[in-house]
Amino acid sequence: NAGVTQTPKFQVLKTGQSMTLQCAQDMNHEYMSWYRQDPGMGLRLIHYSVGAGITDQGEVPNGYNVSRSTTEDFPLRLLSAAPSQTSVYFCASRGTVSSGNTIYFGEGSWLTVV
Amino acid sequence: AQSVTQPDIHITVSEGASLELRCNYSYGATPYLFWYVQSPGQGLQLLLKYFSGDTLVQGIKGFEAEFKRSQSSFNLRKPSVHWSDAAEYFCAVGPPFTGGGNKLTFGTGTQLKVEL
């Protein structure tokens, strides 16, 4: 998982609290995204970005906000946490075709909402 | 809409036996195809990927996968499984153009158990 750093690795939140999951990559990748992983459902795309200042919704965006003010960082914000957001979150980044199109994943953030 | 089906939720094989994990996809064109492996409590590790060219793709850890356009399949194989291969395996597809970024669609995963 070279180059994609996620923090925190573990977090417990109370319902209604807000928090931000941080994601940073040092590979100058244009494309970044956030996925959540739930048992029996694989990974589902929450939000993605194709470059600084550009974000868009994925498959399950409700309850999450993102921003991309720099190429390196792509934070995921939970505005008012709900138990349904208990999940494992993965950030990913990818370079261009010329860089091999390899997608790099962070090591994941385990979030529990009680 | 693109989709990925991994029909086997759990598979158990004996160490040394051959392995095939199935993956079928639905997509309007030939997508980018990936196999990832995830050990418990860990992140995702890329095993192999297919973008174009030779339909038999070699990956890390002795894995290979074959893209069959007529069957919309991208099955993962290994001739001899090792106990350390026990993990969950995910097939994923992504759009075959740079504008798609990394909008991957994942299958629900296949849990592999290896019996000694």
Side-chain angles (χ1 to χ4, degrees), chain A:
Chain A
N1 295 325
V4 180
T5 304
Q6 286 182 237
T7 56
K9 183 139 181 153
F10 300 98
Q11 182 72 50
V12 179
L13 284 178
K14 293 182 179 179
T15 297
Q17 285 185 317
S18 62
M19 79 156 297
T20 299
L21 298 177
Q22 301 291 345
C23 177
Q25 53 91 7
D26 58 2
M27 297 172 282
N28 201 33
H29 284 172
E30 296 179 25
Y31 308 118
M32 297 185 74
S33 55
W34 277 101
Y35 295 83
R36 60 176 289 173
Q37 183 180 26
D38 302 292
M41 303 190 75
L43 281 81
R44 293 178 293 167
L45 181 65
I46 305 172
H47 284 285
Y48 66 98
S49 169
V50 298
I54 306 170
T55 64
D56 206 345
Q57 296 181 349
E59 181 184 355
V60 288
N62 293 340
Y64 307 95
N65 276 359
V66 292
S67 60
R68 186 91 181 273
S69 57
T70 67
T71 300
E72 294 77 21
D73 300 300
F74 191 45
L76 178 72
R77 297 183 185 84
L78 284 71
L79 302 178
S80 179
S84 61
Q85 293 178 303
T86 294
S87 187
V88 184
Y89 292 85
F90 289 96
C91 179
S93 77
R94 197 204 81 175
T96 60
V97 173
S98 61
S99 68
N101 258 327
T102 299
I103 299 170
Y104 295 88
F105 282 87
E107 295 192 341
S109 295
W110 275 253
L111 176 65
T112 301
V113 183
V114 298

Side-chain angles (χ1 to χ4, degrees), chain B residues 43-65:
Chain B
L44 295 160
Q45 181 180 24
L46 179 67
L47 286 175
L48 46 80
K49 60 189 178 185
Y50 173 79
F51 292 156
S52 64
D54 192 349
T55 56
L56 185 62
V57 180
Q58 300 298 321
I60 62 171
K61 303 184 178 184
F63 286 92
E64 67 177 25

Side-chain angles (χ1 to χ4, degrees), chain B:
Chain B
Q2 59 199 54
S3 66
V4 178
T5 301
Q6 292 181 247
D8 304 305
I9 299 174
H10 299 280
I11 283 184
T12 300
V13 300
S14 299
E15 190 175 36
S18 63
L19 172 70
E20 182 170 34
L21 302 182
R22 295 184 289 166
C23 172
N24 292 95
Y25 68 90
S26 174
Y27 200 79
T30 300
Y32 289 163
L33 296 156
F34 307 84
W35 274 100
Y36 287 88
V37 61
Q38 185 181 36
S39 298
Q42 301 297 313
L44 295 160
Q45 181 180 24
L46 179 67
L47 286 175
L48 46 80
K49 60 189 178 185
Y50 173 79
F51 292 156
S52 64
D54 192 349
T55 56
L56 185 62
V57 180
Q58 300 298 321
I60 62 171
K61 303 184 178 184
F63 286 92
E64 67 177 25
E66 185 172 14
F67 168 60
K68 292 186 177 179
R69 185 191 308 274
S70 61
Q71 300 177 18
S72 296
S73 70
F74 189 56
N75 294 349
L76 182 71
R77 301 193 295 248
K78 187 169 185 178
S80 178
V81 170
H82 188 263
W83 65 267
S84 61
D85 293 324
E88 190 159 21
Y89 292 79
F90 292 94
C91 180
V93 301
F97 50 88
T98 57
N102 44 357
K103 291 173 60 180
L104 297 181
T105 298
F106 284 83
T108 53
T110 297
Q111 188 72 45
L112 173 65
K113 181 179 177 181
V114 180
E115 290 183 333
L116 300 176

